[in-house]
Amino acid sequence: MSFTSNNKKKIALIDCNSFYVSCERLFNPKIKNVPVVVLSNNDGCVISRSTEAKKLGIKMGEPYFKVKELVKKNNVQIFSSNYSLYGDLSRRVMKVLKGFSDKIEIYSIDEAFIDLSHIKDENIEDYGKRIRERVLKWTGIPTSVGISCTKTLSKVANHVAKKNKTGVIFLKDNIDDVLKNFDISDIWGVGRQLSKLYIKNGINNAHKLKNISNSWVKKSTNVLGAKTVMELRGIPCINLETEETKRKSCCVSRSFGRKVESLDKLKESITTHCLNAAEKIRNDNQTTRSITVFIRTSPFDKNRKYYSNSLTIDLPVATNNSLELVKVAIEGLKKIYKYGYFYQKAGVILSKLSEAGEKNLNLLTPILENKSQTLMKAIDVTNAKYGRNVISVAQAGINNSWKMRREHSSKIDTASFDSLPKISV
């Protein structure tokens, strides 16, 4: 069975290569050609690897303690995750990409789809090279560019581009040859469980999935599975989401670097998370009508009794005022806290989000909101200029012992002059 498509769309997927590693290397040229890995929160698992680290057999998601000996033996450079740095460089990359097309979907921190249908086929690979060159020159981040007629096929193309010297692949004429050598588990949208189903039925590569009967797909999978098959056939079913949708909720939480027993320490963490969450929704011009506070001990600690609890509080008036939200969150924490437990994680969730200023419930609301907005704006501007938490509240504490473990942090902060690289003459 063969399928042909007259689809003339050209969708490019630009993916930053080993993004977290590339960010660390940008400010530390000494580690450019050596094995490097970046660890998750609390230095738990490997979440980014350089090509050199991959060759050593270090797997994605592997717990750090399992590869510690391999790391020491091969002098692998280890870094704790630095999300403020990665977020800043991601914004710079996306800003560059917007210069190549006004139709762009920022898919993740290191990936974006852009519509290049306006570029002729004979010029498309050169255009992809220009994208790579400009992103590298303007941001210092290396990328791979995969181009095809659907988002799923552009994902396949990008996968191939990473192994290509030019870093750019336009997948059009030899699609079937590529799909025959493309493992079923590597297809975008095919998770672990779906992979098992396909392999069980003899579908072990993308070409076989592309040519499976429509009736079998509808019977055996879901809507997403059917869309994936159609996209492999060159028929677009997954549109570019060019408009950024506002979040429906905002969760900020962290596992503690060391377990916390006291209520005061939990107050510090809840306050800190609440301040960060409030800042995020203000940046999106949103307010919240509901806040959830949650705490839990470690479910894996067999020597101690497990405890987990949460409390949701509805607010009388929608707000994004940090001080008001902290006050409510602390009251909620007091109600669910139990003495004698060693807590591993705490967090807050802001929900029932809406556009700021959407509803004014009474005559006093506009006056109170104006005062609140002026204060919050002053805090946000100051923190943006001089660094996060320069202005905070006393309940957030100082030098918190509970904070996330980051023993291998590069301490690079692109918002701080003190972190700028120094050149000795």
Side-chain angles (χ1 to χ4, degrees):
M1 191 185 298
S2 63
F3 296 91
T4 56
S5 171
N6 296 320
N7 175 27
K8 294 183 179 180
K9 273 194 171 185
K10 288 184 278 290
I11 305 296
L13 173 67
I14 295 87
D15 186 8
C16 301
N17 300 339
S18 303
F19 181 55
Y20 295 168
V21 168
S22 296
C23 292
E24 298 292 348
R25 281 177 164 175
L26 184 59
F27 292 91
N28 189 355
K30 292 179 181 179
I31 62 171
K32 187 174 182 181
N33 296 309
V34 300
V36 181
V37 298
V38 175
L39 304 176
S40 62
N41 291 343
N42 287 309
D43 297 341
C45 301
V46 175
I47 56 172
S48 185
R49 307 160 295 161
S50 67
T51 302
E52 297 82 1
K54 292 175 185 177
K55 289 178 180 178
L56 292 174
I58 299 175
K59 298 176 182 178
M60 180 69 88
E62 197 159 21
Y64 177 49
F65 74 88
K66 286 188 176 182
V67 297
K68 212 166 187 177
E69 289 303 315
L70 184 63
V71 163
K72 288 181 179 179
K73 184 179 178 181
N74 294 277
N75 196 28
V76 178
Q77 300 298 303
I78 301 293
F79 291 92
S80 302
S81 49
N82 184 347
Y83 295 117
S84 58
L85 170 65
Y86 309 150
D88 181 36
L89 289 172
S90 173
R91 286 188 289 273
R92 298 185 195 188
V93 170
M94 301 308 165
K95 188 175 182 180
V96 175
L97 294 180
K98 287 176 182 177
F100 289 94
S101 176
D102 57 351
K103 296 178 181 178
I104 178 172
E105 175 188 340
I106 299 173
Y107 181 65
S108 68
I109 193 171
D110 61 345
E111 293 177 286
F113 291 99
I114 60 174
D115 191 336
L116 299 181
S117 301
H118 59 289
I119 307 298
K120 293 180 179 179
D121 285 6
E122 56 268 28
N123 299 328
I124 195 72
E125 287 200 8
D126 285 337
Y127 199 75
K129 290 175 184 176
R130 281 175 55 195
I131 292 173
R132 287 191 77 230
E133 289 166 2
R134 187 180 297 180
V135 171
L136 183 62
K137 185 176 181 180
W138 290 11
T139 70
I141 301 299
T143 58
S144 298
V145 180
I147 310 164
S148 197
C149 57
T150 69
K151 289 172 76 174
T152 302
L153 285 174
S154 71
K155 273 275 192 177
V156 173
N158 188 278
H159 195 277
V160 178
K162 288 183 182 297
K163 301 174 183 178
N164 186 281
K165 288 184 179 180
T166 64
V168 179
I169 289 292
F170 177 35
L171 198 57
K172 180 187 177 184
D173 299 323
N174 59 336
I175 294 178
D176 282 350
D177 291 337
V178 172
L179 296 184
K180 286 176 183 176
N181 296 299
F182 202 83
D183 193 87
I184 193 73
S185 61
D186 290 331
I187 301 173
W188 185 45
V190 176
R192 187 177 298 176
Q193 294 303 317
L194 205 50
S195 293
K196 290 179 180 178
L197 171 68
Y198 288 145
I199 293 170
K200 186 179 178 181
N201 287 274
I203 308 166
N204 58 6
N205 62 52
H207 185 259
K208 289 181 179 179
L209 181 60
K210 171 189 173 181
N211 291 288
I212 203 70
S213 70
N214 291 333
S215 58
W216 187 91
V217 173
K218 291 178 181 178
K219 182 181 177 182
S220 305
T221 68
N222 52 24
V223 175
L224 181 58
K227 285 184 176 181
T228 299
V229 172
M230 297 301 286
E231 290 244 325
L232 289 173
R233 295 172 183 172
I235 303 169
C237 294
I238 307 173
N239 297 325
L240 276 183
E241 297 179 11
T242 54
E243 292 186 9
E244 292 185 37
T245 55
K246 290 287 181 79
R247 68 179 90 209
K248 295 181 180 180
S249 64
C250 179
C251 176
V252 178
S253 66
R254 287 287 183 273
S255 294
F256 300 130
R258 62 180 67 176
K259 290 184 174 62
V260 170
E261 185 180 16
S262 75
L263 177 60
D264 287 340
K265 292 298 179 184
L266 283 175
K267 282 182 182 178
E268 289 179 2
S269 69
I270 288 295
T271 299
T272 301
H273 298 332
C274 204
L275 292 174
N276 291 342
E279 182 183 322
K280 286 184 178 184
I281 66 169
R282 284 199 299 273
N283 288 338
D284 286 344
N285 194 37
Q286 291 181 301
T287 56
T288 179
R289 283 290 302 271
S290 181
I291 181 169
T292 301
V293 183
F294 63 90
I295 53 176
R296 71 167 173 82
T297 60
S298 173
F300 307 106
D301 191 344
K302 297 179 181 179
N303 298 320
R304 293 191 176 104
K305 194 175 179 181
Y306 179 69
Y307 175 69
S308 174
N309 205 349
S310 65
L311 180 68
T312 299
I313 304 166
D314 289 330
L315 307 172
V317 178
T319 184
N320 56 23
N321 185 304
S322 297
L323 304 180
E324 292 176 14
L325 292 171
V326 166
K327 184 179 178 181
V328 174
I330 294 301
E331 288 302 314
L333 173 64
K334 290 177 182 177
K335 292 179 180 179
I336 61 174
Y337 170 77
K338 281 188 177 182
Y339 177 76
Y341 288 90
F342 289 82
Y343 296 93
Q344 186 197 38
K345 191 172 187 177
V348 297
I349 303 171
L350 304 182
S351 52
K352 296 184 181 179
L353 301 182
S354 59
E355 284 290 319
E358 243 182 31
K359 295 179 181 179
N360 292 322
L361 301 181
N362 55 55
L363 292 173
L364 291 177
T365 300
I367 299 172
L368 296 173
E369 277 187 356
N370 288 337
K371 288 185 176 181
S372 169
Q373 288 171 6
T374 303
L375 175 60
M376 292 302 110
K377 186 176 180 181
I379 292 173
D380 290 343
V381 169
T382 305
N383 286 342
K385 186 174 182 180
Y386 297 105
R388 172 168 273 187
N389 298 328
V390 166
I391 295 181
S392 187
V393 297
Q395 281 177 300
I398 301 172
N399 299 324
N400 314 104
S401 60
W402 50 266
K403 280 196 172 180
M404 189 168 61
R405 187 167 61 250
R406 300 178 67 204
E407 294 177 0
H408 307 280
S409 174
S410 56
K411 295 183 174 63
I412 298 168
D413 183 357
T414 47
S416 170
F417 280 102
D418 294 333
S419 295
L420 289 174
K422 295 179 179 63
I423 301 174
S424 56
V425 180

